[in-house]
Amino acid sequence: MRPLNDPQGRTFPYLRLSLTDLCNFSCNYCLPDGCEEHHHKQSLDLSEIKRLVTAFSAVGVEKIRLTGGEPTLRSDFNDIVSTIKSIPGIQKIAMTTNGYKMDQRVDSWLDAGVDQVNVSIDSLDPRAFEAITGHDRLQEIMAGIEKAFAKGLPSIKVNAVLMKGVNDIQLGVFLDWIKHQPITMRFIELMQTGDNGSFFNQYHVPGQQIRDQLLEQGWVRMTRKKDAGPAYEYCHPDYQGRIGLITPYSRDFCKDCNRLRVSSQGQLQLCLFSESGHDLRRLLQDDSQQDELIQEIRSVLRLKVDGHFLDQGYTGGTQNLAQIGG
Ligand code: SAM
């Protein structure tokens, strides 16, 4: 079947699927007051997820990232993974997690079929970690990473949101950590959302600062794979780990966009900063709706525009990234 594309000729091998808008951490740039459970709406169930991924796979999606909120809060998380894994055409399942109970659960995630784990760690200092996330759980997350390696996962990606004066001054500590470990340490530029305007003004720092330090120290930018995410990765002969930089404020960031997003309630979102999503849930109720669902996805894709206007302070309908899945 003809693969999905948009009016700019971009293709979409990669779908980021949010499993829940609930999160149990209260990161100061995302949900500083925690999650308001009463706003929580019913997430897609296992059969809806199966129909959704089957349709996307039919039009060329090969990689699924499970995100949230915190995706592992779903008690059926492992069933979701193994169900998606059995869908023809899906080659890779990645997940993004805050690492909560990872030490106890990572074995079962990998057994269910997860191929790649991204863990969020904004600081390697336990007190700073707690101040950012509201949880004293850094040791538990580190133990989870050890467990994943012991179980045979070849590499792990770690996400840190860059914050001025908090972790942008800690590059050396992160570099020491990945020197002898196959960890890709990804620095994500803090993005402005509807909820975090004043935090953004205080803490945003351009990722180019990190890039300049890396280049000075002999790191080299690598070429990107077709299904790669938004990061540019850098390697260095003296380091087993890599560095990734995600710089959504840079001029050409959207040029190579290869990702689509579906919210936990089945809204197809063409960009992290779209004004709103397009409802697919009504077409996820029965297997007989697959053709109509694929038609709908194709026609929504015609609306995908060149890029976001984040650099002009336009954050669309996104109040925080937990809402849609960062
Ligand atoms: N709960 C999971 C986690 O903590 O990784 C998955 C969801 S979280 C929204 C996904 C990623 O988005 C995390 O790495 C988080 O740090 C990042 N994130 C959240 N808000 C952000 C913002 N305003 N700017 C940049 N990254 C953000």
Side-chain angles (χ1 to χ4, degrees):
M1 204 182 280
R2 190 165 49 86
L4 273 185
N5 56 19
D6 73 357
Q8 283 67 243
R10 294 172 293 196
T11 54
F12 299 92
Y14 183 2
L15 175 69
R16 302 174 73 114
L17 173 59
S18 175
L19 296 185
T20 175
D21 53 11
L22 291 176
C23 190
N24 51 345
F25 277 24
S26 36
C27 298
N28 50 12
Y29 48 80
C30 188
L31 292 171
D33 303 320
C35 236
E36 296 181 38
E37 290 220 19
H38 59 277
H39 283 161
H40 171 64
K41 298 195 202 83
Q42 193 63 41
S43 302
L44 295 181
D45 67 23
L46 189 57
S47 46
E48 290 172 317
I49 289 173
K50 185 171 183 191
R51 291 184 192 113
L52 180 89
V53 176
T54 303
F56 274 100
S57 146
V59 289
V61 165
E62 297 167 352
K63 173 176 172 182
I64 305 285
R65 173 170 302 282
L66 301 176
T67 181
E70 174 49 40
T72 65
L73 291 179
R74 291 269 307 235
S75 57
D76 56 354
F77 180 77
N78 292 342
D79 294 336
I80 293 171
V81 173
S82 53
T83 300
I84 293 177
K85 194 77 179 179
S86 69
I87 295 173
I90 298 302
Q91 293 175 14
K92 192 178 211 177
I93 302 183
M95 62 184 282
T96 305
T97 175
N98 59 25
Y100 168 81
K101 295 201 175 163
M102 181 169 166
D103 54 343
Q104 297 165 38
R105 296 181 175 172
V106 67
D107 278 6
S108 70
W109 303 339
L110 300 182
D111 285 341
V114 167
D115 300 293
Q116 185 192 307
V117 182
N118 288 35
V119 192
S120 299
I121 303 180
D122 296 318
S123 174
L124 294 173
D125 174 78
R127 276 161 307 168
F129 180 90
E130 184 176 1
I132 295 165
T133 62
H135 285 262
D136 178 16
R137 289 186 178 264
L138 183 61
Q139 289 318 316
E140 167 186 316
I141 297 164
M142 290 298 189
I145 292 177
E146 290 294 312
K147 269 270 183 76
F149 285 140
K151 177 83 179 165
L153 197 66
S155 63
I156 285 192
K157 297 190 182 190
V158 172
N159 292 347
V161 177
L162 263 185
M163 288 172 273
K164 195 191 291 173
V166 177
N167 56 9
D168 63 330
I169 49 177
Q170 298 287 318
L171 180 62
V173 178
F174 285 110
L175 290 180
D176 287 347
W177 186 50
I178 64 165
K179 186 145 192 172
H180 303 293
Q181 300 198 77
I183 291 175
T184 300
M185 186 66 230
R186 294 146 40 104
F187 295 105
I188 310 175
E189 258 181 38
L190 174 64
M191 292 177 250
Q192 185 175 359
T193 60
D195 285 347
N196 75 1
S198 59
F199 188 94
F200 173 84
N201 291 333
Q202 195 176 343
Y203 289 103
H204 177 257
V205 53
Q208 281 79 357
Q209 273 183 221
I210 300 288
R211 182 199 59 196
D212 293 347
Q213 292 178 59
L214 292 174
L215 295 178
E216 260 168 38
Q217 296 176 33
W219 289 77
V220 177
R221 193 167 111 175
M222 301 164 65
T223 45
R224 275 208 277 205
K225 291 198 208 138
K226 176 176 104 165
D227 70 348
Y232 275 109
E233 288 193 5
Y234 294 76
C235 62
H236 190 293
D238 298 341
Y239 288 78
Q240 200 181 345
R242 294 178 183 164
I243 295 287
L245 289 181
I246 301 176
T247 55
Y249 289 88
S250 60
R251 204 156 45 92
D252 286 336
F253 184 74
C254 302
K255 189 169 59 86
D256 316 316
C257 181
N258 61 354
R259 317 171 273 295
L260 296 170
R261 293 186 152 79
V262 173
S263 75
S264 54
Q265 279 108 52
Q267 300 266 315
L268 171 56
Q269 194 137 344
L270 296 174
C271 173
L272 195 47
F273 297 99
S274 299
E275 199 55 62
S276 61
H278 303 265
D279 176 52
L280 299 181
R281 193 170 206 169
R282 66 195 159 79
L283 299 173
L284 299 174
Q285 302 314 307
D286 193 276
D287 291 344
S288 64
Q289 295 172 294
Q290 281 283 298
D291 289 348
E292 205 186 332
L293 175 60
I294 290 172
Q295 279 304 107
E296 178 74 6
I297 295 169
R298 283 198 196 284
S299 70
V300 172
L301 254 287
R302 289 191 207 115
L303 306 173
K304 187 162 163 77
V305 294
D306 298 21
H308 57 55
F309 299 96
L310 207 50
D311 56 343
Q312 293 162 36
Y314 177 79
T315 57
T318 304
Q319 295 306 116
N320 54 64
L321 263 50
Q323 192 188 355
I324 168 72

